[in-house]
Amino acid sequence: MVRRRLATVETRLDSRSWLATAVVVAIAAILRFANLSHPPGKIFDEIYYARDAWALVDRGVEWNYKDGGPSYVVHPPLGKWLIGLGEWAFGYSDAEHGISVPGQLFTTAPEFGWRFSAALIGTLSVLLLIRIGRRLFGSTVLGCAAGLLLAVDGYHLVLSRTALLDIFLLFFVLAAFGALVLDRDATRRRWARALEAGLDPTLRGRAGRPPGGWRNWPWWRLATGVLLGCAFAVKWSALFFVPVFALLMLLWDVGARRSAGVPRPWRATMLDGFPWMVLAGVLMAVTYVVSWSGWLLSNEGYYRLAERYPQAGLSDTPIIGPLWNLVQYHQAALGFHSQLDDPHKYQSWPWQWLLLGRPVAFHWVQPQGGCGAAAGCAEEILLLGTPLLWWSFLPALVALVWLGLARRDWRAGAILLTVAAGLLPWFWFALDGRTMFFFYAAPAVPFLVLAVVYVLGAIASPAGMSGTLPVDGADAEASRDRRMIGTVIAGAYVALVVICFAYFYPIFVGLNIPYAEWSARMWLGNRWI
């Protein structure tokens, strides 16, 4: 009975599951890498991030080549370092500043170089979501459905084909969540093995706990801390997920001990598990500081000049001085973010995001000829979610609340909390009138997809996604009929999302199409223009 309470949602790792995974990931990769160099030149905020990324590779700090001095930037460097790796490998060119550098591995169109890392990370995030979904739901089909829906989401596709930071933030937050789920499973397996070996959980001290030793350390929990540090080193908004992930760690630890029969599981968790949570937090902070290594080891970066040290003598200390300088830099950047209220054509409010109320145009031109339309042509890259998928998010979240309460399912709670971490803080900032954009929602998108897939799983398997109780006779036949009908409904939904994506595909990748066809895709009129 205890073993059953400690059971995790797992499925057998077989070659078929990896084959299905590979097919979906291949679809995602083709969509993200095909004609990646189009459109030519820097689009939207690539003008900042592609240049800053090359400066990191070239000088170790963001640099203003026009003025010959360090650039003042307000985002941490890790995402730009990753963009810079693509530029280092495939080449970088900036005609405005007379820069043309061949790739160290291959020389391609420069646009491919600064978009390569985003396309790679976007593809890997689809892989992650498949395996996380499979782990959560105990189903290869549902895991691949989650990956396919993410692969054909126009919002995710556009971010995967543009040198912006948000796809890297999405990836590291998702990876941290995956590590956290693996930590939960590992903790419960550790207790189950110990109980099978004769452990008495009612004993005090080490006698009532699973065996220690470095092999039994919560390595996935520590990995969660490192991955959250990487996310924080891309954008500060990753901090919204820290309290949620800490809460999930705590609740899952208490749940494992309660299932194992530990008396006073909260007290035991605070004594045994909480120190590891603190260590994960320390690793997160260390990872973040390490991401600033190029700036810390340079004397050229903004706020790294000796005269900027606020106290006498700090410029002579090799460690404390640069770290204090880094604190000052962060204070200045925090002031910038807190006062960002300038109006922008494409700004939007959080309550508009899931409704696709104000997408962002990354690229727009009207080419002369070339599309076979006498009335004119249009070429646009619009940061827009695949409408059918995105308009499913709110109903899915409502259903998830109901299903989670009815089933008392930890998976529903975990998905809801992570969605809340990705979206709700922005409602608070909206009260101050802060300027914000649709792409701020990026880290929540994989979890919104998981919410949809959870509901699809409930439709396709009414008795639960991880298996059903055996039934006989008419009940068994009725159950099979419900499964068949549910599976058809779920499959039809996924097929319709794919069709919807195909229809909007030209405005996700900037294809040159007749103006009338472009206009037909502006379903919400001026809100999408």
Side-chain angles (χ1 to χ4, degrees):
M1 184 66 180
V2 171
R3 175 74 178 182
R4 182 177 178 181
R5 290 200 302 267
L6 286 168
T8 59
V9 180
E10 296 184 42
T11 54
R12 186 166 55 93
L13 295 177
D14 55 31
S15 58
R16 289 176 298 178
S17 78
W18 280 107
L19 178 60
T21 299
V23 170
V24 176
V25 172
I27 293 171
I30 292 170
L31 291 172
R32 279 147 185 79
F33 281 98
N35 200 20
L36 185 60
S37 299
H38 178 79
K42 298 180 176 73
I43 62 173
F44 197 57
D45 282 352
E46 286 185 340
I47 193 172
Y48 306 114
Y49 298 125
R51 289 175 179 175
D52 287 343
W54 175 251
L56 286 171
V57 174
D58 184 33
R59 307 183 71 99
V61 296
E62 292 90 344
W63 192 257
N64 186 328
Y65 287 96
K66 180 179 180 181
D67 298 334
S71 290
Y72 174 58
V73 296
V74 293
H75 289 303
L78 182 56
K80 289 166 281 188
W81 273 113
L82 293 172
I83 295 171
L85 286 177
E87 294 171 337
W88 172 86
F90 299 102
Y92 177 74
S93 178
D94 188 341
E96 181 180 348
H97 299 107
I99 301 173
S100 181
V101 182
Q104 298 297 308
L105 300 180
F106 303 99
T107 299
T108 63
E111 294 84 359
F112 185 89
W114 63 66
R115 294 171 189 161
F116 170 81
S117 295
L120 177 62
I121 288 295
T123 303
L124 292 177
S125 66
V126 172
L127 171 62
L128 271 181
L129 190 64
I130 294 171
R131 306 314 292 183
I132 290 171
R134 187 176 187 272
R135 193 84 177 187
L136 283 177
F137 305 135
S139 167
T140 298
V141 172
L142 292 178
C144 288
L148 181 61
L149 289 176
L150 189 64
V152 298
D153 173 33
Y155 181 93
H156 188 274
L157 178 67
V158 172
L159 291 179
S160 298
R161 293 173 58 89
T162 314
L164 270 64
L165 302 181
D166 303 273
I167 195 66
F168 303 105
L169 174 62
L170 179 156
F171 174 82
F172 285 119
V173 169
L174 181 61
F177 178 77
L180 189 60
V181 171
L182 291 175
D183 174 68
R184 177 191 184 274
D185 290 351
T187 298
R188 299 178 80 84
R189 281 197 302 268
R190 200 157 47 240
W191 276 99
R193 286 196 298 264
L195 292 171
E196 287 181 346
L199 175 73
D200 183 356
T202 63
L203 297 176
R204 293 186 176 183
R206 291 299 314 167
R209 304 173 191 168
W214 67 271
R215 293 180 181 274
N216 292 311
W217 283 10
W219 293 107
W220 286 115
R221 180 165 308 185
L222 302 182
T224 301
V226 172
L227 290 167
L228 275 177
C230 290
F232 185 30
V234 175
K235 273 192 171 183
W236 288 357
S237 53
L239 282 180
F240 300 154
F241 290 87
V242 174
V244 166
F245 283 17
L247 177 63
L248 289 176
M249 283 185 195
L250 186 63
L251 293 177
W252 290 348
D253 270 7
V254 171
R257 286 167 173 77
R258 181 179 288 119
S259 297
V262 175
R264 304 168 70 181
W266 280 95
R267 178 178 181 275
T269 296
M270 297 306 293
L271 290 174
D272 299 337
F274 187 72
W276 292 108
M277 292 173 59
V278 173
L279 181 56
V282 171
L283 288 175
M284 183 187 77
V286 170
T287 301
Y288 178 78
V289 173
V290 168
S291 74
W292 286 85
S293 295
W295 186 89
L296 290 167
L297 297 174
S298 170
N299 289 322
E300 293 185 325
Y302 200 86
Y303 264 85
R304 274 296 289 123
L305 303 178
E307 60 266 28
R308 292 201 179 268
Y309 291 108
Q311 298 177 14
L314 283 181
S315 60
D316 298 326
T317 58
I319 297 177
I320 302 300
L323 290 177
W324 180 257
N325 229 184
L326 188 61
V327 170
Q328 287 236 303
Y329 195 158
H330 280 61
Q331 289 174 344
L334 183 60
F336 170 86
H337 286 297
S338 62
Q339 298 172 16
L340 186 60
D341 56 6
D342 295 335
H344 192 284
K345 180 180 179 180
Y346 290 110
Q347 72 181 67
S348 58
W349 301 110
W351 48 85
Q352 296 176 295
W353 293 345
L354 299 190
L355 301 175
L356 302 178
R358 189 55 174 154
V360 183
F362 280 15
H363 169 72
W364 165 260
V365 294
Q366 287 187 273
Q368 298 299 316
C371 66
C377 307
E379 181 180 299
E380 182 176 31
I381 294 178
L382 186 66
L383 183 65
L384 174 74
T386 301
L388 180 57
L389 175 63
W390 277 71
W391 289 335
S392 303
F393 287 158
L394 281 175
L397 291 174
V398 173
L400 192 63
V401 171
W402 185 84
L403 290 168
L405 292 174
R407 298 179 174 189
R408 303 179 66 180
D409 193 340
W410 65 271
R411 297 169 296 183
I415 294 169
L416 286 168
L417 283 173
T418 47
V419 169
L423 296 179
L424 291 186
W426 296 111
F427 284 80
W428 172 262
F429 290 116
L431 296 177
D432 293 331
R434 187 193 191 279
T435 305
M436 54 189 70
F437 300 91
F438 185 30
F439 47 81
Y440 289 4
V445 171
F447 305 106
L448 289 164
V449 171
L450 287 176
V452 170
V453 172
Y454 186 102
V455 175
L456 292 179
I459 293 172
S461 180
M465 286 173 287
S466 58
T468 59
L469 295 175
V471 290
D472 299 313
D475 288 341
E477 185 175 351
S479 178
R480 285 194 297 270
D481 289 343
R482 287 195 300 271
R483 281 180 178 273
M484 182 180 69
I485 295 171
T487 300
V488 170
I489 292 172
Y493 169 82
V494 174
L496 288 173
V497 170
V498 172
I499 293 171
C500 184
F501 167 80
Y503 177 72
F504 282 91
Y505 179 78
I507 64 171
F508 294 148
V509 299
L511 294 185
N512 186 9
I513 58 177
Y515 186 88
E517 292 188 17
W518 168 85
S519 181
R521 288 165 171 80
M522 299 296 105
W523 283 1
L524 296 190
N526 289 335
R527 289 185 175 274
W528 285 10
I529 296 175

